[in-house]
């Protein structure tokens, strides 16, 4: 009988959570890390799907983090003009963010996620227990991304961080389950209201404008996506406070909740000028202006295109100076 599905994963993930799966199910492995997000990987997966005679009734199962999820979603969206994909996210970042919302894709040498589609998963299955062997920095990275949802839309979620970051850091399964359910609900609500990122969906980019610029300036090395978002949330909050849009006390709460998750990596060697240049290239540039998602209060953000350059420059420079001096 033809297998009705194919699992896509990575060696490291199978070792951590999927021992034994290989003997029972058809699995195709892709290489570890961001470098697997290429059209070459896509072609290899399509070849395997054709060889297995997968049909439109077949399902692709993505067992992994955002990399596996993004590539698998893309392949599922183009094989026979689209077959179902089920996401089984195995990183915290994937559980709270990348597995939900239907953005799929691979990188081009000219830029990240330049090739892709929107293809909603048929099902997202998240289990806190698969996160137990996740490396510490990967886990913290997911916590930074989760804190984002508190700032943009959910005061109670934010307060859960203020109350119980130690429990989250200890990976208490019940605390993780509550967190993932809350973040997933917010992401799903926002995406349902604005699937193709016309407007509302852009609030999910809180912390990402400067975050992406930092990642690019550090050449996607040394800093993880969630860590860059951690820096980006602090920067956006400082910008909002400088503009008089956010109370100083709320800004401090956002910074201390971010710092409570863990120490952000040193940024020595990252130049302010590279970050500002990368900002100019940000794909969120609309009509020549960099759009910032700025907090007005915890739980409420606005999108604003008119932040004076000097304020952005000062905040970025100040943050980089601190990040070089950190013990
Ligand atoms: N589609 C979207 O909406 C969306 C949103 C955010 C990010 N992304 C994408 O997600 C990607 C990042 O995802 P990520 O942070 O999950 O990184 P990742 O998929 O590279 O996983 C991080 C590392 O953890 C390992 N790993 C995964 N699960 C594990 C487990 N349970 N135990 C032990 N090790 C495990 C992986 O092998 C990898 O080395 C980026 O490519 C980004 O562009 C997509
Ligand atoms: Zn993100």
């Amino acid at each position: 009988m033809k297998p009705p599905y194919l699992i896509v994963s990575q060696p490291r993930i199978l070792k951590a959570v999927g021992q034994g799966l290989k003997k029972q199910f058809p699995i195709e492995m892709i290489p570890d890390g961001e470098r697997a997000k290429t059209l070459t990987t896509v072609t290899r997966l399509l070849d395997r799907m054709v060889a297995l005679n997968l049909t439109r009734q077949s399902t692709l199962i993505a067992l992994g983090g955002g990399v596996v999820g993004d590539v698998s979603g893309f392949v599922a969206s183009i094989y026979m003009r689209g077959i179902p994909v089920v996401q089984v996210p195995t990183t915290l970042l994937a559980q709270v963010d990348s597995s939900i919302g239907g953005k799929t894709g691979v990188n081009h040498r000219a830029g990240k996620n330049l090739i892709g589609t929107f293809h909603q998963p048929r099902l997202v299955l998240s289990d806190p227990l698969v996160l137990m062997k996740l490396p510490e920095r990967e886990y913290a990275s997911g916590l930074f991304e989760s804190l984002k949802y508190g700032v943009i839309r959910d005061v109670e979620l934010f307060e859960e961080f203020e109350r119980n970051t130690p429990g989250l850091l200890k990976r208490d399964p019940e605390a993780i389950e509550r967190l993932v359910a809350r973040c997933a609900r917010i992401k799903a609500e926002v995406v349902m209201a604005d699937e193709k990122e016309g407007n509302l969906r852009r609030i999910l980019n809180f912390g990402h404008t400067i975050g992406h610029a930092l990642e690019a300036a550090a050449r996607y090395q040394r800093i993880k996506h969630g860590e860059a978002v951690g820096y980006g949330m602090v920067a956006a909050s400082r910008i909002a406070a400088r503009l008089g849009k956010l109370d100083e006390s709320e800004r401090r709460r956002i910074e201390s909740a971010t710092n409570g998750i863990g120490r952000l990596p040193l940024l020595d060697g990252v130049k302010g000028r590279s970050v500002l240049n990368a900002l100019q290239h940000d794909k969120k540039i609309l009509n020549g202006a960099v759009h910032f998602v700025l907090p007005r209060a915890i739980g409420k953000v606005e999108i604003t295109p008119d932040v004076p350059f000097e304020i952005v420059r000062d905040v970025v420079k100040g943050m980089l100076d601190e990040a070089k001096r950190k013990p």
Side-chain angles (χ1 to χ4, degrees):
M1 201 182 79
K2 289 177 194 165
Y5 48 77
L6 172 66
I7 299 174
V8 180
S9 197
Q10 290 167 328
R12 201 177 281 178
I13 294 163
L14 273 205
K15 210 163 151 209
V17 304
Q19 299 271 23
L21 274 180
K22 229 174 170 172
K23 287 194 204 92
Q24 301 176 53
F25 303 102
I27 300 187
E28 185 69 18
M29 296 293 198
I30 66 170
D32 197 62
E34 191 67 29
R35 74 199 153 91
K37 269 178 71 169
T38 62
L39 286 174
T40 311
T41 308
V42 170
T43 310
R44 267 200 28 231
L45 286 173
L46 291 171
D47 287 346
R48 178 80 194 273
M49 291 160 83
V50 172
L52 285 170
N53 289 318
L54 294 195
T55 68
R56 278 235 181 101
Q57 277 65 50
S58 307
T59 298
L60 207 61
I61 300 171
L63 176 70
V67 166
V68 169
D70 278 12
V71 178
S72 308
F74 182 58
V75 167
S77 76
I78 59 175
Y79 183 75
M80 292 189 149
R81 302 199 174 84
I83 65 166
V85 64
V86 166
Q87 297 280 352
V88 186
T90 64
T91 64
L92 182 56
L93 185 119
Q95 293 192 351
V96 299
D97 189 359
S98 61
S99 65
I100 305 152
K103 277 192 187 175
T104 82
V106 295
N107 302 326
H108 184 274
R109 64 187 168 314
K112 238 173 98 73
N113 300 325
L114 275 189
I115 304 156
T117 55
F118 285 97
H119 187 59
Q120 296 298 341
R122 202 54 72 86
L123 170 76
V124 179
L125 193 65
S126 288
D127 180 348
L129 296 181
V130 303
L131 304 178
M132 297 306 150
K133 290 187 196 152
L134 196 62
E136 213 165 294
R137 272 182 79 188
E138 299 292 350
Y139 182 75
S141 204
L143 287 180
F144 290 117
E145 195 83 58
S146 309
L147 179 65
K148 171 190 87 177
Y149 292 103
V151 180
I152 63 174
R153 228 170 144 86
D154 188 344
V155 186
E156 278 177 35
L157 171 58
F158 185 88
E159 287 168 354
E160 168 84 10
F161 271 95
E162 293 187 311
R163 233 186 352 256
N164 189 28
T165 296
L168 287 167
L169 287 171
K170 269 193 285 172
R171 307 191 196 189
D172 165 28
E174 277 174 30
I176 299 178
E177 191 172 321
R178 276 199 307 276
L179 178 77
V180 171
R182 254 192 131 99
C183 296
R185 187 173 309 127
I186 297 173
K187 174 120 192 215
E189 272 170 17
V190 170
V191 172
M192 274 192 278
D194 175 23
E195 185 179 7
K196 303 278 163 71
E197 204 162 31
N199 202 17
L200 181 67
R201 189 165 179 166
R202 283 152 65 201
I203 69 172
L204 299 171
N205 287 328
F206 171 58
H208 284 63
T209 308
I210 287 183
H212 282 148
L214 276 177
E215 285 182 281
R219 303 218 170 95
Y220 299 95
Q221 285 157 15
R222 294 179 24 217
I223 183 159
K224 303 220 167 275
H225 174 72
E227 294 169 338
V229 172
Y231 272 121
M233 293 191 292
V234 168
S237 308
R238 289 183 184 180
I239 290 171
R242 283 277 295 269
L243 291 170
K245 289 175 186 283
L246 177 71
D247 274 356
E248 194 51 28
S249 58
E250 298 268 286
R251 180 196 64 74
R252 256 184 262 123
R253 281 177 74 195
I254 296 174
E255 281 200 30
S256 67
T258 309
N259 293 331
I261 291 172
R263 188 179 291 163
L264 290 165
L266 285 175
L267 292 179
D268 48 336
V270 176
K271 295 201 169 54
R273 180 172 305 188
S274 320
V275 178
L276 295 170
N277 280 342
L279 264 182
Q280 301 307 321
H281 287 112
D282 193 288
K283 67 175 171 210
K284 275 176 264 12
I285 294 175
L286 287 175
N287 308 321
V290 181
H291 283 61
F292 280 92
V293 183
L294 299 179
R296 297 301 309 254
I298 288 161
K300 188 166 179 290
V301 286
E302 69 171 32
I303 297 167
T304 170
D306 24 66
V307 178
F309 175 75
E310 300 72 48
I311 294 189
V312 178
R313 186 195 56 202
D314 287 359
V315 166
V316 167
K317 289 236 156 92
M319 212 175 59
L320 286 178
D321 284 346
E322 281 170 37
K324 279 169 195 156
R325 276 189 264 112
K326 273 189 185 170

